[in-house]
Amino acid sequence: MSNIPFEDLGTANLVVDSVYEGARNKKLNLGSEPLTKLIPGIGNMGGFRKSVDPKTKTLRGLVLVSKRNEIDWPDTLNIFTGLYAYFGDNRAPGKSLHDTPKGGNKVLLDIFELAHGIKEHRAKCPLILAFENTGNGFDTEFKGLLVPGAANLSASQDLVAVWATKNGKRFQNYKANFTVLDCGEISGDWVRDIFG
């Protein structure tokens, strides 16, 4: 594991378990956030950061960012099986499963439908990257390159709507299961080219 300084992010590769540092300035603002410098074209906030082709409106790439250690929504990486469980963005009552501000749950539904489709549909799955906040400013740790589903899970088990309760009101959110591919280092130039 290594730390990649903010100044080097524009040319850095993505290395599993490496920390991509936010800017080291006195004011923590969104300009200090490292992922938009590492992968230009994605948003600077939230757990779902998308890159959409402006012509075709198709999803080119998706960055999933976990806050790490959320008690109600414990995104987890099993380092022995390579299974990464990520929770969707419907985290409070009052909205339907797919009616979220950033549309993250709808993105999950679409990605898993592509993954379970015919060969031509699977080829349309976007590049998916997982990061976790470290708790130190904007520093973010790269967890890996993901594909939807897992060898030991059926299509009805890899994306599951789970029930939760908050303030006595019930609602649903997704638990999405991904496989982390065995890629220790990924070319940053390749990633930036895909994300456009």
Side-chain angles (χ1 to χ4, degrees):
M1 180 173 109
S2 61
N3 281 28
I4 292 59
F6 187 77
E7 298 75 29
D8 296 341
L9 297 180
T11 58
N13 287 339
L14 283 75
V15 180
V16 168
D17 292 340
S18 287
V19 173
Y20 295 83
E21 296 180 348
R24 300 295 192 244
N25 53 36
K26 292 182 181 180
K27 290 184 179 179
L28 282 180
N29 57 39
L30 292 179
S32 304
E33 199 277 332
L35 292 182
T36 53
K37 186 159 184 177
L38 179 66
I39 310 168
I42 61 169
N44 57 13
M45 291 181 62
F48 288 87
R49 303 186 190 187
K50 303 177 276 191
S51 172
V52 177
D53 185 302
K55 292 179 184 173
T56 64
K57 306 295 183 204
T58 57
L59 188 62
R60 293 188 287 211
L62 176 66
V63 173
L64 299 175
V65 183
S66 176
K67 290 184 178 177
R68 192 183 269 179
N69 301 327
E70 282 192 272
I71 295 170
D72 293 334
W73 308 106
D75 301 327
T76 53
L77 170 62
N78 184 320
I79 60 172
F80 301 106
T81 64
L83 190 66
Y84 188 76
Y86 188 84
F87 285 89
D89 62 348
N90 193 35
R91 298 186 173 192
K95 296 198 179 267
S96 68
L97 181 60
H98 301 118
D99 182 24
T100 61
K102 288 218 168 199
N105 279 356
K106 179 69 168 91
V107 169
L108 289 175
L109 178 65
D110 293 345
I111 287 171
F112 279 83
E113 283 181 352
L114 288 172
H116 295 300
I118 60 175
K119 182 179 178 181
E120 290 78 16
H121 292 166
R122 291 192 305 272
K124 294 179 183 177
C125 274
L127 180 66
I128 307 168
L129 306 170
F131 289 85
E132 290 184 354
N133 294 335
T134 66
N136 181 28
F138 283 108
D139 291 3
T140 309
E141 184 176 350
F142 179 56
K143 301 314 291 180
L145 174 62
L146 308 179
V147 293
N152 64 335
L153 297 176
S154 71
S156 63
Q157 296 172 312
D158 56 14
L159 181 67
V160 181
V162 295
W163 285 98
T165 304
K166 190 172 187 177
N167 300 324
K169 299 197 181 213
R170 293 175 21 133
F171 63 100
Q172 286 186 301
N173 195 14
Y174 276 134
K175 179 180 180 184
N177 292 294
F178 295 91
T179 298
V180 180
L181 296 181
D182 187 12
C183 301
E185 183 170 355
I186 302 165
S187 165
D189 290 338
W190 177 72
V191 169
R192 287 182 283 274
D193 184 56
I194 289 175
F195 275 76

